Amino acid sequence: MLEERETKEPAMNPFQKNESKETLFSPVSTEEVPPQPLSLPKKPPPKICGSNYPLSIAFIVVNEFCERFSYYGMKAVLTLYFLYFLHWNEDTSTSIYHAFSSLCYFTPILGAAIADSWLGKFKTIIYLSLVYVLGHVVKSLGALPILGGQMVHTVLSLVGLSLIALGTGGIKPCVAAFGGDQFEEKHAEERTRYFSVFYLSINAGSLISTFITPMLRGDVQCFGEDCYALAFGVPGLLMVIALVVFAMGSKIYRKPPPEGNIVSQVVKCIWFAISNRFNNRSGDIPKRQHWLDWAAEKYPKQLIMDVKALTRVLFLYIPLPMFWALLDQQGSRWTLQATRMNGNLGVFVLQPDQMQVLNPLLVLIFIPLFDLVIYRLVSKCGINFSSLRKMAVGMILASLAFAVAAAVELKINRMTPPQPGPQEIFLQVLNLADDEVKVTVLGDENNTLLEESLRSFQKMPHYAQLHLKTKSQDFHFYLTYHNLSVYTKHSVEEKNWYSLILREYGKNISSMMVKDEGNKTANGMTTVRFINTLHKEVNISLTTDIFLSVGEDYGVSAYITVQSGEYAAVHCRTEDKDFLLNMGLLDFGATYLFVITNNTNQDPQAWKMKDTPANKLSIAWQLPQYALVTAGEVMFSVTGLEFSYSQAPSSMKSVLQAAWLLTVAVGNIIVLVVAQFSGLVQPEDLQKPADKQILHTQGNVINLETKKTKL
């Protein structure tokens, strides 16, 4: 989407700045060399409904729509597949995701070389599309739980992704230019409109697939879990359709023969100039006006002049990798930010990863809005809104988008509870006994650190913050119940949340320590956990496909992730009866504990407690940053291509497209490196003031400190 903006065809005179409107070009040469005979049909190619548009472009546009649906549909669920199916950690998943994206923008160089020097565009598209389809098949097989184990799934996934990267990258520089080849030179205006339709097909395919494939993954169950095989299989089917549709137009295509690889010539010319200058660095040898003039001994003057013009344009590409790296944060950092926001918009609930759909949607709106309205209004006001000014404004808008994102992040952090740091834990106490219990936390010298009296089925109004002397430590508790006094201890580890559960054991009192879920879920959904005080195991059906069993006599379940919403009648079953639990409203992003208790006159009931507060800030607050960054993208990237191509010689336009795609690859590498090293430095001093501020404003954490460690 971001990197494939093509709207209009280039001008024939490369030095007329205001005539070129091209925003997508191919490293495959079409106009850069003297014309050669085309394999034209014997009669004029058929047109669409009597217009000047060749019928062949219909096959190419449909092919592009299906291919982009295939690529972005697969990519939409890729990170969740890494996390929850292959069970990789977040750093590894992020790194592989961006390594795959980067590879997809290195392989166009290979595809261009094959098309220019060997097979031509048509055969290159056909053969690499077969590789593309094979990659989807292998990737889908790797998502079948019944096919092998973890190692088999990993190997199939990596092989499939490699084949997909080769296929999608290899055909990327060929398809758009092959469509341009279908037009005669006298139909330049129709060719310009073709590129606009071609671009719309890209965004339409990505927009629809980003909605559909997450639903195929989450709403359909395969082998008792999310159906990643279907989510990968449907995009693979679309790629098969893309290949079949493209092949159907074979007999009516104009097929230019291979014309030589200009990218290779440019690289060789630059390398020879550098090496020749190094070999002749003696002071006795006369200097030359430009460093590229040192290639004059081997390469023609016209090529050297074109490469000089190319290097001047490439200077504009220096900030591009960082620009792409920033835009890629929509799929990573901004999505993680959305997991800590409330997706309930009233009419519907928006999932965190669905916010990415805003980008292609806004692009489809902004392109005609800017071209037909904003730019024309600015022009009528007498303002010379040149290409460089558009790019400058685009960069400012992108910077403002990240300033807005930072402001939203600060607001979220102020609403987020503090997290235990190194050598710290958070502790709460729950009294599930039938009468009042007095709890005393003792220090190593029997000094009282905390004293709390809790009535039956009452919990502490806050978590207590306990400081440890080591990473793990024993804490001592003195419990008073009726006339009984019980002394107990429990082990804890740093950076965790704990609940001390008090319960009756006959006429005695006992306790158990359980670890709580202190962090928000990775996908922003609601998590629940159950404690069963009944003497029989309870089977709970939270939804039609989420079931769990909770053991008898204070059995504690694992955390279960569910959709937020109203759960007024949850079906439960013991060995001798069925009953319904009213769990009430489960808010977005919150963590709940339900204690199943017996009621003498009625069915068992659930005591509801909220361990982690719900996300309060609406996800709609991300809309301004998405609007700003998309507007910046339209003004910077699209205009940047138009301006750079209008300044470059026509023979160098294919090299510029190769350089443009390489900047996308480098941008993904930047994100990859940041993802690998961002977790290495976590300054503790930066978190301490934040904790103190939250403690001061919320007043819900008590600082306790032990004087001695007892292991």
Side-chain angles (χ1 to χ4, degrees):
M1 292 177 289
L2 307 176
E3 65 283 348
E4 300 171 59
R5 310 308 190 204
E6 66 257 20
T7 56
K8 298 180 181 179
E9 178 69 4
M12 294 305 296
N13 187 343
F15 295 98
Q16 292 179 358
K17 300 182 181 180
N18 297 324
E19 293 181 9
S20 172
K21 297 295 183 182
E22 178 176 347
T23 56
L24 178 75
F25 291 80
S26 166
V28 182
S29 176
T30 58
E31 301 177 349
E32 294 83 348
V33 297
Q36 298 182 17
L38 299 178
S39 55
L40 299 175
K42 295 181 180 180
K43 59 181 180 179
K47 307 291 184 179
I48 298 177
C49 300
S51 66
N52 291 326
Y53 294 94
L55 180 62
S56 55
I57 65 169
F59 297 96
I60 297 173
V61 170
V62 174
N63 164 271
E64 184 66 12
F65 170 83
C66 295
E67 189 275 327
R68 291 292 87 186
F69 186 108
S70 170
Y71 176 75
Y72 285 109
M74 177 275 302
K75 201 175 179 183
V77 298
L78 195 58
T79 300
L80 295 181
Y81 171 78
F82 291 154
L83 284 172
Y84 301 123
F85 190 88
L86 297 182
H87 304 294
W88 292 348
N89 60 41
E90 292 187 4
D91 290 337
T92 302
S93 300
T94 302
S95 299
I96 298 299
Y97 177 87
H98 286 287
F100 166 71
S101 299
S102 180
L103 184 60
C104 289
Y105 290 96
F106 276 117
T107 51
I109 304 299
L110 177 61
I114 294 174
D116 276 345
S117 306
W118 182 22
L119 296 177
K121 301 185 199 67
F122 176 77
K123 290 184 178 179
T124 300
I125 295 171
I126 290 291
Y127 294 156
L128 290 183
S129 292
L130 292 172
V131 175
Y132 202 161
V133 171
L134 179 61
H136 273 296
V137 172
V138 174
K139 188 75 188 68
S140 300
L141 291 176
L144 290 174
I146 60 174
L147 188 63
Q150 179 78 10
M151 181 58 67
V152 174
H153 294 150
T154 301
V155 171
L156 289 176
S157 298
L158 294 179
V159 172
L161 288 176
S162 300
L163 293 174
I164 291 173
L166 176 59
T168 186
I171 68 174
K172 189 185 299 292
C174 302
V175 178
F178 187 67
D181 291 341
Q182 307 308 306
F183 292 87
E184 301 175 47
E185 291 301 328
K186 61 183 179 180
H187 298 145
E189 184 178 350
E190 287 80 3
R191 182 167 52 191
T192 297
R193 292 182 183 142
Y194 153 74
F195 278 103
S196 298
V197 175
F198 187 87
Y199 159 71
L200 290 176
S201 70
I202 291 175
N203 285 273
S206 63
L207 177 66
I208 297 173
S209 64
T210 307
F211 266 119
I212 292 180
T213 53
M215 292 191 296
L216 295 176
R217 172 194 59 81
D219 296 345
V220 180
Q221 294 291 304
C222 298
F223 308 100
E225 56 187 45
D226 285 352
C227 197
Y228 289 101
L230 181 62
F232 290 139
V234 170
L237 178 61
L238 264 293
M239 189 58 220
V240 173
I241 296 175
L243 175 58
V244 172
V245 170
F246 183 77
M248 287 171 60
S250 175
K251 294 184 178 180
I252 60 175
Y253 290 142
R254 293 162 53 99
K255 303 173 184 176
E259 300 169 327
N261 193 348
I262 188 64
V263 178
S264 175
Q265 296 180 37
V266 170
V267 172
K268 292 178 180 179
C269 179
I270 293 176
W271 176 253
F272 181 80
I274 295 175
S275 59
N276 193 29
R277 176 66 182 91
F278 181 79
N279 295 332
N280 296 277
R281 59 187 183 275
S282 173
D284 299 332
I285 301 177
K287 294 183 179 180
R288 302 187 184 182
Q289 186 176 6
H290 194 280
W291 63 273
L292 279 170
D293 291 333
W294 290 94
E297 285 83 354
K298 185 175 181 180
Y299 292 93
K301 183 178 180 180
Q302 183 60 47
L303 177 62
I304 295 174
M305 292 177 60
D306 289 348
V307 175
K308 288 179 182 179
L310 172 69
T311 57
R312 289 192 292 269
V313 175
L314 289 179
F315 181 78
L316 293 173
Y317 286 11
I318 293 177
L320 281 178
M322 187 57 65
F323 187 80
W324 297 126
L326 291 175
L327 291 180
D328 278 343
Q329 303 308 302
Q330 297 175 74
S332 54
R333 299 301 178 188
W334 286 13
T335 300
L336 293 175
Q337 182 186 74
T339 64
R340 296 182 289 136
M341 305 177 75
N342 194 326
N344 190 349
L345 301 179
V347 180
F348 57 91
V349 175
L350 193 64
Q351 297 302 322
D353 50 355
Q354 289 181 319
M355 287 296 290
Q356 301 175 54
V357 179
L358 280 176
N359 178 255
L361 179 62
L362 290 175
V363 165
L364 292 175
I365 297 173
F366 283 175
I367 288 289
L369 177 65
F370 276 74
D371 285 343
L372 302 179
V373 180
I374 296 179
Y375 291 157
R376 293 186 179 184
L377 288 177
V378 172
S379 178
K380 287 184 178 181
C381 293
I383 300 175
N384 181 19
F385 205 25
S386 64
S387 296
L388 288 178
R389 290 179 179 178
K390 291 178 184 178
M391 295 173 64
V393 173
M395 287 294 289
I396 293 173
L397 290 176
S399 301
L400 288 176
F402 283 88
V404 172
V408 172
E409 186 71 16
L410 291 174
K411 183 67 174 178
I412 294 174
N413 289 339
R414 285 196 291 267
M415 297 180 175
T416 303
Q419 297 295 320
Q423 298 186 12
E424 289 180 352
I425 67 163
F426 286 171
L427 173 71
Q428 70 171 350
V429 182
L430 285 73
N431 179 18
L432 302 184
D434 289 337
D435 207 344
E436 182 177 305
V437 178
K438 183 178 180 181
V439 182
T440 305
V441 181
L442 301 175
D444 293 323
E445 299 176 357
N446 288 328
N447 57 314
T448 301
L449 300 177
L450 173 67
E451 191 172 75
E452 192 88 30
S453 294
L454 299 173
R455 297 189 302 273
S456 177
F457 282 85
Q458 182 187 9
K459 71 168 186 172
M460 290 173 55
H462 47 67
Y463 274 90
Q465 185 179 29
L466 303 178
H467 295 273
L468 314 181
K469 294 296 182 63
T470 59
K471 292 183 178 181
S472 61
Q473 183 174 319
D474 290 344
F475 277 99
H476 304 267
F477 301 89
Y478 187 72
L479 311 177
T480 303
Y481 178 66
H482 294 163
N483 296 324
L484 297 174
S485 296
V486 177
Y487 181 81
T488 183
K489 70 176 181 178
H490 295 282
S491 296
V492 295
E493 296 180 352
E494 65 174 359
K495 301 181 181 180
N496 285 309
W497 302 63
Y498 290 94
S499 290
L500 182 69
I501 311 296
L502 308 179
R503 59 171 183 155
E504 282 185 283
Y505 185 70
K507 295 183 178 181
N508 297 324
I509 189 75
S510 64
S511 65
M512 60 180 180
M513 186 78 79
V514 296
K515 187 180 296 185
D516 295 342
E517 181 69 44
N519 295 315
K520 298 287 185 181
T521 57
N523 53 6
M525 297 177 68
T526 304
T527 53
V528 297
R529 182 174 63 173
F530 295 88
I531 296 179
N532 177 23
T533 66
L534 307 181
H535 299 301
K536 299 176 182 178
E537 181 181 271
V538 177
N539 297 308
I540 304 173
S541 302
L542 285 169
T543 64
T544 56
D545 52 7
I546 300 179
F547 311 93
L548 73 155
S549 298
V550 189
E552 70 275 8
D553 295 327
Y554 296 90
V556 181
S557 74
Y559 281 101
I560 301 296
T561 301
V562 297
Q563 296 280 355
S564 60
E566 191 75 29
Y567 289 77
V570 176
H571 183 262
C572 303
R573 173 181 295 178
T574 62
E575 61 183 14
D576 56 0
K577 69 181 301 185
D578 293 357
F579 59 93
L580 299 176
L581 286 181
N582 182 8
M583 296 170 57
L585 175 65
L586 301 185
D587 214 345
F588 203 92
T591 301
Y592 295 93
L593 172 64
F594 291 92
V595 180
I596 303 175
T597 61
N598 211 348
N599 191 321
T600 55
N601 299 325
Q602 301 176 0
D603 289 335
Q605 296 180 344
W607 179 38
K608 180 180 179 181
M609 291 175 292
K610 185 183 291 185
D611 289 342
T612 304
N615 299 341
K616 297 180 181 179
L617 193 64
S618 173
I619 202 171
W621 282 101
Q622 281 197 323
L623 182 59
Q625 64 200 55
Y626 272 97
L628 285 170
V629 79
T630 306
E633 172 196 347
V634 170
M635 298 189 71
F636 181 85
S637 63
V638 175
T639 307
L641 267 178
E642 173 188 346
F643 177 76
S644 61
Y645 288 169
S646 69
Q647 303 300 305
S650 60
S651 63
M652 295 292 109
K653 295 185 187 298
S654 62
V655 183
L656 280 175
Q657 176 62 11
W660 184 272
L661 295 175
L662 283 177
T663 63
V664 181
V666 174
N668 277 277
I669 292 176
I670 292 174
V671 179
L672 188 156
V673 173
V674 171
Q676 283 294 309
F677 292 99
S678 60
L680 297 180
V681 180
Q682 299 290 340
E684 297 177 14
D685 295 338
L686 297 179
Q687 187 170 347
K688 294 294 184 181
D691 289 350
K692 291 179 182 178
Q693 179 184 6
I694 297 175
L695 296 178
H696 176 73
T697 57
Q698 295 183 351
N700 63 348
V701 178
I702 298 178
N703 286 292
L704 305 177
E705 185 171 0
T706 57
K707 302 297 183 181
K708 186 178 178 182
T709 301
K710 205 172 185 180
L711 299 178

